[in-house]
């Protein structure tokens, strides 16, 4: 036991292996769904690179995301491996960015609790959806880039050969991110620009490499945004939005920013508020200011959990309360970080906080702001929570309570994940048997297929007016396009 305690700084490796196993189970049990069917068919019937180029011209500038879909969707076994490795790698990067020296057990467990307690929509659209992994890959690569950048930024002496190689390789990460997803691609330009300013201001030798990084980030993002496919899709699928003025677009997106940054992330806000409140208790400020800051944090928790209260306006992102309170909460957080932290840790925490907000802020200028787009904000806020925990000073009781909450959330969510995805596996096996029957009986005009249990599989069921997914579903499973009419129904009904 003594030896185990002495090696507790490696506890995060145990947690990372657990994440690998859990996410492999989720991926193994989850079938292809929604857009996955179309990408699998295209990938099986055509050359993936040619299809990615064609989609760049006609549908989307996300070249590498489309290429991923055409390569991986026809090979579901490959996704079963890639997805858990990505989440394990993301967790390891988070732990290294935090620097878990003083709290090597508490921080990994809190980080795990925050990761597992995300909203169902975010979980379904990114954790266990093959095409949702196109959002996870840039997240992982951005964290790798931050680790490289931090190594170069704080290098006091001359850069070694290995550092220069990493600096050049970082351009590959930025190239992929810039041609994968719009909001993180745009923010990476800001991040690289911030590194240029910091390196130049502190006379770091790596400043020239950050200039190159910034240029690569700008070029790759520009190539994506100026793609013929992106322009075509915007003008044909979002006509009303494209005709709005800039102010109208921002005003239309602001409630969604509030919802996907705060209201939709109740457990994240709970951990954030608790950690920030504990940190405020140790700050050298007046009692009145402490009470005010803690009150703001407490009110944020009440707001995101108010679904158990008769106060609907707290959860309404368009209400006057939501439009004003969350701005106050942001200002209070910045005050805490600037006032409570010192020197390098302050710079890192403020940087992560601003980056987290920027991922959702840039989505104000987008017609497709959804849960999956907010994954970057959520995970960067998780990093910030870990950084604050590492700086906490106080009694053991506070840390014990935080640890108890993390353990409770982890046990609750892991049991829920195991139950849900075991149910998905059973439901999918039943669905395959039913599909096999209808394949053998093409004369049947109405085929009834049970829906997946709610809050389990994104895009697994098809609505009556969704002709594209109905067509790809039939083709993927070998069902006749005519005369069968596929009807998805709830077994309970």
């Amino acid at each position: 036991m003594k030896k185990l305690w002495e090696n507790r700084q490696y506890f995060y490796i145990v947690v990372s292996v657990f994440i690998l196993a859990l996410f492999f189970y989720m991926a193994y049990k989850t079938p292809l769904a929604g857009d996955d069917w179309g990408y699998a068919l295209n990938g099986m019937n055509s050359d993936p690179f040619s299809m990615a180029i064609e989609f760049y011209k006609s549908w989307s500038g996300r070249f590498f995301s489309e290429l991923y879909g055409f390569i991986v969707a026809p090979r579901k076994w490959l996704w079963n491996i890639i997805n858990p490795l990505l989440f394990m790698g993301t967790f390891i990067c988070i732990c290294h960015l935090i620097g878990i020296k003083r709290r090597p057990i508490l921080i990994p467990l809190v980080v795990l609790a925050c990761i597992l307690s995300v909203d169902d929509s975010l979980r379904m659209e990114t954790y266990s959806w093959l095409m949702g992994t196109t959002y996870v890959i840039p997240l992982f690569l951005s964290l790798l880039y931050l680790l490289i950048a931090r190594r170069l930024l704080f290098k006091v002496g001359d850069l070694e050969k290995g550092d220069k190689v990493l600096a050049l390789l970082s351009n590959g990460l930025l190239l992929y991110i810039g041609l994968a997803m719009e909001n993180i691609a745009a923010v990476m330009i800001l991040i690289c620009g911030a590194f240029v300013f910091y390196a130049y201001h502190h006379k770091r030798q790596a400043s020239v490499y950050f200039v190159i990084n910034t240029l690569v980030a700008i070029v790759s993002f520009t190539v994506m945004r100026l793609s013929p496919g992106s322009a075509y899709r915007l003008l044909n699928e979002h006509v009303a939005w494209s005709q709005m003025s800039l102010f109208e677009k921002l005003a239309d997106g602001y409630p969604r920013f509030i919802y996907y940054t705060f209201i939709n992330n109740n457990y994240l806000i709970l951990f954030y508020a608790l950690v920030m409140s504990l940190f405020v208790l140790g700050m050298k400020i007046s009692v009145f200011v402490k009470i005010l800051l803690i009150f703001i944090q407490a009110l944020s928790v009440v707001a995101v959990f108010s679904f158990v209260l008769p106060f609907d306006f707290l959860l309404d992102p368009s209400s006057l309360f939501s439009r004003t309170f969350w701005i106050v909460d942001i200002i209070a957080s910045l005050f805490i970080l600037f006032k409570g932290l010192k020197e390098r840790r302050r710079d890192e925490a403020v940087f992560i906080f601003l980056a987290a907000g920027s991922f959702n802020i840039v989505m104000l200028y987008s017609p497709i702001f959804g849960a999956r787009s907010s994954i970057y904000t959520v995970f960067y806020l998780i990093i910030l929570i870990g950084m604050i925990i590492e700086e906490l000073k106080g009694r053991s009781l506070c840390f014990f309570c935080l640890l108890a909450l993390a353990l409770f959330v982890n046990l609750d969510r892991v049991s829920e994940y195991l139950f849900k995805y075991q149910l998905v596996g059973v439901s999918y096996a039943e669905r395959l048997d039913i599909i096999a029957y209808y394949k053998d009986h093409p004369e049947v005009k109405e085929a009834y297929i049970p829906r997946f249990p709610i809050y389990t599989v994104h895009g697994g069921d098809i609505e009556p007016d969704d002709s594209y997914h109905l067509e790809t579903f039939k083709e993927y499973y070998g069902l006749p396009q005519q005369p069968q009419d596929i009807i998805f129904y709830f077994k309970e009904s």
Side-chain angles (χ1 to χ4, degrees):
M1 288 296 295
K2 183 179 179 181
K3 189 174 181 180
L4 286 174
W5 180 251
E6 291 174 349
N7 294 318
R8 62 190 182 278
Q9 68 268 24
Y10 300 111
F11 177 72
Y12 78 96
I13 297 178
V14 176
V15 179
S16 67
V17 173
F18 173 79
I19 289 175
L20 180 71
L22 178 62
F23 277 80
F24 175 80
Y25 178 79
M26 293 162 57
Y28 179 77
K29 291 292 185 179
T30 305
L32 269 63
D35 291 345
D36 297 344
W37 301 319
Y39 281 93
L41 292 170
N42 282 317
M44 288 186 289
N45 299 327
S46 306
D47 172 58
F49 288 92
S50 299
M51 284 302 302
I53 294 173
E54 179 62 30
F55 267 52
Y56 179 85
K57 296 177 181 179
S58 61
W59 180 251
S60 167
R62 303 171 181 174
F63 177 82
F64 286 119
S65 292
E66 305 297 342
L67 181 62
Y68 156 86
F70 298 134
I71 293 176
V72 178
R75 304 165 180 84
K76 204 262 182 178
W77 62 268
L78 184 57
W79 180 67
N80 293 348
I81 299 172
I82 293 175
N83 199 52
L85 285 174
L86 281 172
F87 278 96
M88 182 181 72
T90 298
F91 174 81
I92 292 174
C93 287
I94 289 174
C95 290
H96 281 282
L97 286 168
I98 293 170
I100 49 175
K101 296 180 180 179
R102 298 177 61 226
R103 314 289 176 194
I105 294 178
L106 176 60
I107 292 177
L109 290 176
V110 171
V111 169
L112 178 63
C114 291
I115 291 175
L116 297 183
S117 62
V118 297
D119 180 75
D120 284 323
S121 55
L122 178 58
R123 170 182 55 81
M124 292 188 296
E125 293 178 16
T126 56
Y127 286 22
S128 57
W129 185 38
L130 188 145
M131 285 309 298
T133 306
T134 58
Y135 291 81
V136 181
I137 296 173
L139 169 65
F140 171 63
L141 297 183
S142 74
L143 299 181
L144 279 181
Y145 175 76
L146 291 186
L147 287 173
I148 294 173
R150 186 174 67 175
R151 176 186 175 94
L152 300 178
L153 271 179
F154 299 107
K155 193 85 171 183
V156 178
D158 293 337
L159 293 181
E160 300 173 0
K161 184 178 180 181
D163 298 324
K164 295 179 180 179
V165 172
L166 287 176
L168 293 175
L169 288 177
S170 65
N171 294 303
L173 304 180
L174 293 168
L175 178 65
Y176 187 102
I177 294 171
L179 286 166
M181 203 58 58
E182 289 85 353
N183 61 331
I184 190 170
V187 175
M188 291 309 294
I189 296 174
L190 300 177
I191 288 175
C192 293
F195 288 154
V196 170
F197 174 79
Y198 189 94
Y200 179 79
H201 180 71
H202 292 275
K203 296 181 174 57
R204 299 292 193 237
Q205 190 185 26
S207 59
V208 63
Y209 293 102
F210 290 121
V211 170
I212 297 173
N213 284 169
T214 306
L215 293 175
V216 171
I218 292 173
V219 170
S220 58
F221 174 73
T222 303
V223 171
M224 176 172 61
R225 289 299 299 142
L226 295 182
S227 69
S230 295
Y232 174 83
R233 189 175 179 183
L234 179 64
L235 293 176
N236 286 272
E237 290 198 356
H238 309 286
V239 178
W241 184 88
S242 61
Q243 293 174 348
M244 293 180 181
S245 66
L246 175 60
F247 179 78
E248 288 173 332
K249 290 174 180 177
L250 298 179
D252 178 68
Y254 183 54
R256 292 198 295 273
F257 167 79
I258 294 173
Y259 182 77
Y260 289 116
T261 306
F262 305 105
I263 297 175
N264 200 44
N265 300 305
N266 46 17
Y267 277 98
L268 179 71
I269 296 299
L270 172 62
F271 278 105
Y272 182 82
L274 285 175
V275 170
M276 293 297 268
S277 297
L278 291 174
F279 186 71
V280 167
L281 290 175
M283 291 175 60
K284 296 180 179 179
I285 53 179
S286 68
V287 175
F288 172 77
V289 176
K290 283 186 179 182
I291 294 174
L292 178 61
L293 293 173
I294 293 175
F295 173 77
I296 292 172
Q297 298 302 323
L299 186 55
S300 70
V301 176
V302 173
V304 296
F305 282 95
S306 61
F307 50 80
V308 299
L309 302 172
F311 304 123
D312 294 339
F313 69 93
L314 295 176
L315 290 176
D316 181 6
S318 298
S319 69
L320 179 62
F321 169 83
S322 295
R323 288 175 178 271
T324 55
F325 170 73
W326 293 110
I327 296 297
V328 173
D329 185 65
I330 292 172
I331 295 172
S333 296
L334 285 172
F335 175 82
I336 294 170
L337 296 178
F338 273 109
K339 190 73 175 179
L341 297 173
K342 297 185 182 300
E343 298 175 353
R344 174 176 168 177
R345 198 55 160 180
R346 177 194 60 216
D347 296 340
E348 289 180 337
V350 171
F351 168 79
I352 292 295
F353 180 79
L354 294 176
S358 297
F359 291 119
N360 275 356
I361 287 175
V362 298
M363 290 303 294
L364 291 174
Y365 193 72
S366 173
I368 50 173
F369 194 172
R372 69 192 79 167
S373 303
S374 66
I375 186 173
Y376 311 115
T377 292
V378 169
F379 273 72
Y380 273 64
L381 285 177
I382 292 173
I383 297 173
L384 180 63
I385 290 171
M387 286 181 170
I388 300 301
I389 294 176
E390 183 70 9
E391 300 299 317
L392 283 179
K393 299 175 183 178
R395 297 180 180 179
S396 300
L397 179 62
C398 296
F399 296 110
F400 177 80
C401 292
L402 193 57
L403 178 62
L405 176 63
L407 287 172
F408 171 79
V409 173
N410 281 322
L411 290 173
D412 176 69
R413 288 311 169 106
V414 169
S415 62
E416 180 181 336
Y417 278 35
L418 294 176
F419 172 75
K420 282 187 173 180
Y421 288 97
Q422 188 271 339
L423 202 59
V424 167
V426 173
S427 300
Y428 185 54
E430 179 185 15
R431 178 177 284 195
L432 288 178
D433 289 338
I434 295 171
I435 290 174
Y437 170 81
Y438 287 120
K439 285 175 65 176
D440 294 336
H441 297 79
E443 73 281 0
V444 177
K445 293 185 177 180
E446 289 187 340
Y448 288 86
I449 297 179
R451 292 174 178 264
F452 284 109
I454 60 172
Y455 302 125
T456 56
V457 178
H458 174 70
D461 308 316
I462 305 170
E463 303 309 321
D465 59 345
D466 190 351
S467 58
Y468 169 74
H469 286 116
L470 182 60
E471 180 183 337
T472 55
F473 174 85
K474 287 181 175 181
E475 185 177 354
Y476 180 77
Y477 287 105
L479 293 168
Q481 294 290 340
Q482 296 293 339
Q484 281 184 355
D485 184 21
I486 306 293
I487 300 172
F488 289 82
Y489 72 98
F490 287 107
K491 295 178 68 175
E492 294 79 3
S493 62

